[in-house]
């Protein structure tokens, strides 16, 4: 298994059940910051028992109902933040190594998580402590995605296989060979008909999600792809070590459009609407883009480490970072309507399970 990154130090042994008072002693207060059009709530993650540092954040997912935010990282833990009260209410230590990816189902009834322990876990959100292991892989799982109907989960990781599982019975429906043996990104299309995957060699391959037949393959980036997403009209947005976002029509890859290069590796892309895109990367910032004009709109600053993951819902944008914080960005208008209270209140409901 992989070790924690040097910038957070080595993790010590951890007991699954940890006194909440020790967690609260390590919790830092939220900060309140503004950009020209966004407010930001910065929330410090919680250090595990005997750990020298809080966890690096490598996955965030907002429940479609807007009730919960799932946060995962290198502390082997799945944490749930109550978005209404801005409180961490649960920390589940069920993984055995770094958790790389978290995705809520479209109906919000379950959460899928996976990581370096090579296990795909499914969490029942009506009973968040209840979890089942859907699959175990021979190598680490880096990314998961849930189909739009919530019935299937796709995974990629440190081998050359895309695997698709049935959520209902846990069986693997099919697997297929990927363009290389070090894969970082996978995504279902908006209609669920296609699955795309990309990784170290910059190639993207697309399969029919039911038959596993290959639709197409193209060179999307010159080097490692770290994040991909389908637009609603079937184009693919990709980003990674090339420091540029590419927008590709799979039927006509020669017409690929490129956003301006900013000089930093890109770790996450997230569509905010059909015409708006957010990116996060190694310059510690989030950049907003207009996909019609390909123009850079705004830079959201505040993180002091690589922005590793993004998710959005309505006017909310959530970012996670190697600086061990999550930031919840919102429009100033929405925050004002809600009363403008941006504090995080820690209380006895914070707990490790």
């Amino acid at each position: 298994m992989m070790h924690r990154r040097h910038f957070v130090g080595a993790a010590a042994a951890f007991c699954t059940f940890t006194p909440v008072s020790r967690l609260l002693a390590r919790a830092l207060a939220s900060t309140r910051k503004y950009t020209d059009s966004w407010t930001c709530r910065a929330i410090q993650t919680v250090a595990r028992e005997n750990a020298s540092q809080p966890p690096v954040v490598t996955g965030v997912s907002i429940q479609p109902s807007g009730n919960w935010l799932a946060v995962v990282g290198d502390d082997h833990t799945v944490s749930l933040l109550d978005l209404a009260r801005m409180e961490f209410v649960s920390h589940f230590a069920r993984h055995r190594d770094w958790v790389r990816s978290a995705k809520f189902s479209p109906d919000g009834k379950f959460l899928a998580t996976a990581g370096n322990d090579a296990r795909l876990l499914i969490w029942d959100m009506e009973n968040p402590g209840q979890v089942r292991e859907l699959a175990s892989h021979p190598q680490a799982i880096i990314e998961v995605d849930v189909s739009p109907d919530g019935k299937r989960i796709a995974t990629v990781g440190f081998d050359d296989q895309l695997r698709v599982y049935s959520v209902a019975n846990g069986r693997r429906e099919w697997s297929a060979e990927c363009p290389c043996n070090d894969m970082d990104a996978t995504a279902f299309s908006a209609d669920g008909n296609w699955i795309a995957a990309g990784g170290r060699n910059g190639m993207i391959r697309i399969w029919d999600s039911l038959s596993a037949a290959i639709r197409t393959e193209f060179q999307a980036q010159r080097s490692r792809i770290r994040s991909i997403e389908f637009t609603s009209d079937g184009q693919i947005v990709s980003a990674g070590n090339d420091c540029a976002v590419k927008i590709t029509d799979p039927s006509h890859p020669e017409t690929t459009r490129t956003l301006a290069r900013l000089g930093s590796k890109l770790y996450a892309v997230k569509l905010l609407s059909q015409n708006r895109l957010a990116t996060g990367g190694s310059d510690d910032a989030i950049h907003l883009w207009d996909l019609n004009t390909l123009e850079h709109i705004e830079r959201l600053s505040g993180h002091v480490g690589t922005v590793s993951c993004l998710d959005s819902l309505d006017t909310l944008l959530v970012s996670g970072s190697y600086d061990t914080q999550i930031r919840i960005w919102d429009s100033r208008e929405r925050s004002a309507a809600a009363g403008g209270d941006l504090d995080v209140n820690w209380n006895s409901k914070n707990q490790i399970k």
Side-chain angles (χ1 to χ4, degrees), residues 73-94:
D74 69 342
D75 64 346
H76 314 178
T77 300
V78 177
S79 297
L80 294 179
L81 180 85
D82 185 317
L83 284 169
R85 294 176 293 172
M86 287 295 154
E87 299 171 355
F88 275 111
V89 295
S90 297
H91 305 268
F92 299 104
R94 296 291 192 271

Side-chain angles (χ1 to χ4, degrees), residues 243 260-265 282-283:
C243 308
R261 296 181 188 275
L262 296 177
S264 60
K265 294 180 180 180
S282 61
D283 65 350

Side-chain angles (χ1 to χ4, degrees), residues 338-353:
D341 184 4
L342 304 182
D343 290 336
V344 173
N345 300 308
W346 294 85
N347 63 25
S348 59
K349 292 187 178 180
N350 288 269
Q351 56 187 305
I352 283 277
K353 294 186 178 179

